[in-house]
Amino acid sequence: MLDLTLLPLFLAGGLALALTPGPDMAFTLATTASRGLRAGLGAVAGIITGGAIWTVAAAIGLAALLTASEHALAVVRYGGAIYLLWLAWQTIRTLDAAPHARASASASQAFLRGLMTNLLNPKVGLFFLAFLPQFTNAELGPVWIQMLMLGGMFFAMGTMVLVAVALAAGAAQARLARSLTLRRVLNGLAATAFGGLGLRLIFSSNTD
């Protein structure tokens, strides 16, 4: 059972966070721009799945254990950074390619990329570990169950926002991708987004 007095505040805060531009939104835009709408929706599914796994980890305390180990945290962060930089390089290599030319298995590949990008970013788990407990009440039942329920609500809002982003980006991409120059620009922006997210992980690990 959730604390109904805290629920409106959680929903307002969760929606504000879902609407705030961040790595998940950037990844969705980049994937849709470079590979098309189906891939963009696949990326959304992967991102949400990864976030759900982190929510479960936070609920049972695994995220806290990971935080306690600086070496494990560094391995996950740098692994995520390297993966994102690799995605940037792969996008640069196919700068001129049209989305339909790379459509085979793109949705499933995008799902795996979204999943791995989320799982290899420990800050996602740390965020839920810090955010969700604020809206729980131990007097109403097990806290971990409340965290799972709150996490489900948060991801429902996040899914709607990311799907809307993918649909908007897909509509624009379908019109713009007919031009080779604009296709290069779209793919270049996607590569920049992937690379920027990777560098963000590296530099944030040095400043935390």
Side-chain angles (χ1 to χ4, degrees), residues 10-30:
F10 168 78
L11 292 174
L15 182 60
L17 288 169
L19 291 170
T20 301
D24 290 346
M25 196 174 291
F27 189 87
T28 300
L29 282 169

